[in-house]
Amino acid sequence: MWTLLGTNLVLFVWMYFYSSAASSPLYSSSCRLQRQFHLNGMHKPGDVILGGLFQIHFFSVFPDLSFTSEPEQPTCHGFDIIGFRAAQTMAFTIEEINRNPSLLPNVTLGYSLYDNCNVLGIGFRASLSLVSGKEEQIKLQESCVRNHPLLGIVGESSSTPSIAVSTVLGLYRVPMVSYFATCSCLSDRKKFPSFFRTIPSDAFQVRAVIQVLKHFGWTWAGLLVSDDDYGLHVARSFQSDLAQPGGGCLAYLEVLPWSDDPDELRRIVDVMRKSTARVVIVFAHEGHMIDLMKEVVRQNVTGLQWIASEGWTSATVLQTPRLMLYLGGTLGIAIRRGEIPGLRDFLLQIHPDLHQNNSYGNNLVNQFWEHTFECRFAPPPAGWVEAGGALCTGQEDLENVETEFMDISNLRPEYNVYKAVYALAYALHDMLQCEPGRGPFSGHSCGSLQRLEPWQLVYYLEKVNFTTSFGDQVSFDENGDILPIYDIMNWLWLPDGRVEVQSVGEVKRSPFKGEELTLDEDKIYWNFESKKPPRSLCSESCPPGTRMARKKGEPVCCFDCIPCSEGKISNETDSMECTSCPDDFWSSPQRDHCVPKKTEFLSYQEPLGIFLTAMSLLGTFISAVVLGIFIYHHKTPIVRANNSELSFQLLVSLKLCFLCSLLFIGRPTPWTCKLRHAAFGISFVLCVSCILVKTMVVLAVFQASKPGGGAKLKWFGAVQQRGTVLVLTSVQAAICTVWLVSSSPAPHRNTQYHNDKIVYECVVGSTVGFAVLLGYIGLLAILSFLLAFLVRNLPDNFNEAKLITFSMLIFCAVWVAFVPAYISSPGKYADAVEVFAILASSFGLLVSLFGPKCYIILLRPERNTKKAIMGRETMKSLN
């Protein structure tokens, strides 16, 4: 709104400022200045003039803008010491440049500095006066060149007037370098083609504040802005930048009223009090904060961490013991502090004009003198002297009075003015260094002081690059913005009640490193009992092992922490998603990292594996002992009567059965997978074949004892017995060979049983091959059982059939139970079931077949005689 009104106003004034009457004979040959504005200012002649716009008074009584009467001089009130010092800084800088023989030699700079009284209309008047000059009449037939060309304007002192004035000046490419206008909108080169500034844009100030928020982990903050271009553009920038990942959220956004509106301020402070955000960011002016803090004090809203914009970071009016209870520890963004050597001596040379001669702007100097020493040059009204007033003598000494004007230890706006003047001077210097015929303009021409065009200076201003005596580099980017740098300030409340605003760091952007924040946290004063930074979060951070889930209808900073599901992890704080672990890994119990999956197989180290190994070795040992006993007693009747050769073969096969179970223990490998089932199948077929042949021999001997049965024994001699065992075993070997060649067992990593485990097992390859192997063993076992069952009632001396029947009954029962148990057992337990079946059946055969014989051989040797055996036979036959 202010921009539109200001633009319309300046166009209106411009139309009447230079006009020619239709009835005038000069209508076709000249333009006449109808009126001159009477403005407070300071002037110094020179070859080239630099204009300046400063806020030296706070407000004014605006005169009538009409041209029907004589123009009045605006009445300004409320002297601004800082604004006056900024104007004096510009005057000092120009004198310093004029003394510098290496910068603009043979060129003298002059200036015209005006007081805008913090009123947009007065600022327009001043800018138009600077651009148009004071010539009463310009003849159009002559060259439109002023006697003293305007180099550029330093100003305005805030964003709104800068927007309005620069909108018009940009039409004519008149360069304007502001020292205090921060609105990011002024970076729009299409709207403001000749605008530059030596103060960083609010866009960077917003990012600087966000850097501070990120540094302390403050993701939940409130934002208060002023109701003008400055505040509203900041609000938009905040909402845009905070939308970036990890930027944070605004708990509330409120616009501070310009006027003292108690109801609105009460509502805003009530929002602050009820909010969970402990950090409050304020982009506003000093006046806004004064009104706001009245309501803050009234509601006694404490426990907040304030972050100040450069608009009120250095406001001494707020640094009082009464307000420090609330504002103590404030972190603020401040304009870069600089040092200007010689400025103090220049300020001390200021003296009033006792004769009221305003040729050099002594009217402003006199007003400064009256404000500083609380005196008056004009005779005061009757009774004023008696009331304690005094007349100014002009001999007062600035060194003897304690005033902010002489405190140059904290030069911030003034340092920006200093850089702005030097930027214009260096641009002009570079233009004058141009060699004819090698210039950057049309036809390789150069600019000249005699025909100085504003757009030519804009070209050089865009390329200016120099370093101040304080060591800061000054150059402008494509948007007219300076390389940004801010100081981070902290409001320290000293024990004696004094307030000190100290620098605790800086934030800057360099061409190579980008944006950098440097903070000395040890120096920061925190206005909390803990003396530590507060926590300002909508939701606590989600630790590793969880992910964020946004709460419906609330900002992104408000969320719940959901634990990652099994197999997924998050190893960072505030992870948006949980990531799946690789195939061979699983999530840790805390879900914050992946760990290798546990491997499972029947191991020699676990109790079950140790037990089965021990049983296998025990069975092998017992088989070896029994074999040794039979070998040692091979000539005894009981050994000879039970077919000693088959008994030896049977014991050897039992040893192999016990040993083959060891192949099922340990981590499966390609060789153990192939050997385990082949060894198991062949060993058991060898064992069962021996039992089958043994049963057939018993049956043949019994048949031979009958009349006419002797011929049958010739078919069951030793050779036939060995051959039968060999043939039956060879069939199983052939089955195993075909199985291994066609589809052999192989190791397999099974992840289906357990998500967090890798089960190593041997897949059988061909289920048919495995079934044929087991079926063949079962066939021989059933056949042995049936034959032994048929001859179970033979005489004792031949009656090994009973033992075979019992052993085969145990064998068959074990393997019948094995099949469903094997199928239903996962992983290593399937191997354990198979090993248990091997051991159980082997022990059953060993104990059933050889237990009674060992008992007689070792414990009842008197029964291990032919007579004892034959005696029993005779008695049974008699019965």
Side-chain angles (χ1 to χ4, degrees), residues 139-329:
K139 293 185 178 181
L140 300 182
Q141 292 91 341
E142 300 177 0
S143 172
C144 295
V145 177
R146 295 174 54 184
N147 295 331
H148 305 289
L150 178 71
L151 182 61
I153 296 177
V154 176
E156 274 265 7
S157 57
S158 60
S159 295
T160 296
S162 293
I163 293 170
V165 172
S166 184
T167 299
V168 176
L169 296 184
L171 298 175
Y172 304 95
R173 298 300 190 269
V174 176
M176 179 177 182
V177 186
S178 176
Y179 57 92
F180 216 68
T182 60
C183 181
S184 57
C185 59
L186 288 164
S187 298
D188 189 339
R189 221 58 187 147
K190 292 182 179 179
K191 293 182 179 179
F192 311 102
S194 62
F195 180 81
F196 300 83
R197 52 183 159 192
T198 54
I199 185 172
S201 161
D202 280 336
F204 180 75
Q205 186 176 186
V206 167
R207 290 196 294 273
V209 171
I210 293 176
Q211 290 261 23
V212 174
L213 295 178
K214 288 182 177 180
H215 181 83
F216 292 107
W218 296 330
T219 59
W220 189 236
L223 176 63
L224 307 179
V225 298
S226 56
D227 189 11
D228 55 10
D229 294 305
Y230 171 65
L232 299 180
H233 278 86
V234 162
R236 283 195 287 270
S237 296
F238 253 107
Q239 291 173 325
S240 174
D241 291 351
L242 286 178
Q244 304 299 322
C249 303
L250 291 179
Y252 53 85
L253 170 59
E254 299 292 342
V255 179
L256 297 173
W258 271 103
S259 59
D260 186 8
D261 187 343
D263 293 336
E264 179 65 9
L265 289 173
R266 186 180 305 111
R267 186 194 65 80
I268 292 173
V269 174
D270 192 56
V271 170
M272 295 167 54
R273 180 174 54 82
K274 293 179 179 178
S275 174
T276 57
R278 296 294 87 198
V279 175
V280 181
I281 307 164
V282 184
F283 274 80
H285 305 285
E286 192 174 304
H288 292 99
M289 283 301 299
I290 293 173
D291 295 335
L292 176 66
M293 291 312 298
K294 291 178 182 177
E295 185 61 28
V296 169
V297 172
R298 193 189 71 80
Q299 295 193 29
N300 193 29
V301 181
T302 60
L304 297 179
Q305 174 63 48
W306 295 81
I307 296 183
S309 69
E310 43 76 27
W312 62 279
T313 293
S314 303
T316 55
V317 68
L318 298 172
Q319 298 165 14
T320 63
R322 179 169 176 262
L323 294 181
M324 284 302 288
L325 177 65
Y326 306 91
L327 294 177

Side-chain angles (χ1 to χ4, degrees), residues 348 374 416 458 542 546 663 720 818 829 863:
L348 288 173
E374 298 180 354
N416 286 346
V458 170
C542 289
T546 62
L663 294 174
Q720 287 79 5
F818 159 77
Y829 297 104
R863 296 176 59 182

Side-chain angles (χ1 to χ4, degrees), residues 81 84 88 343-352 365 368-373 394-407:
I81 286 289
F84 181 69
Q88 290 294 332
L343 178 61
R344 178 178 172 81
D345 294 335
F346 178 83
L347 297 179
L348 288 173
Q349 295 173 9
I350 296 175
H351 280 89
V365 175
F368 159 71
W369 206 265
E370 290 175 341
H371 174 82
T372 302
F373 295 102
Q395 303 303 314
E396 292 85 359
D397 192 350
L398 285 173
E399 282 196 287
N400 294 333
V401 62
E402 186 176 343
T403 173
E404 190 178 3
F405 181 76
M406 296 305 300
D407 182 9

Side-chain angles (χ1 to χ4, degrees), residues 52 101 115 133 135 149 151 159 270 274 281 307 345 354 389 555 586 618 632 639 658 677 694 720 726 800 802 814 862:
D115 176 15
E135 293 87 346
L151 182 61
S159 295
D270 192 56
K274 293 179 179 178
I281 307 164
I307 296 183
D345 294 335
L354 299 179
W586 194 249
L618 178 62
Y632 185 77
V639 175
F658 281 116
H677 289 102
K694 203 175 185 63
Q720 287 79 5
L726 179 61
E800 195 173 11
K802 287 184 178 180
V814 169
E862 70 277 4

Side-chain angles (χ1 to χ4, degrees), residues 436-457:
R438 302 180 65 180
F441 307 122
S442 176
H444 301 288
S445 62
C446 298
S448 66
L449 196 62
Q450 291 73 26
R451 298 185 61 86
L452 180 62
E453 298 288 345
W455 59 267
Q456 294 175 333
L457 196 67

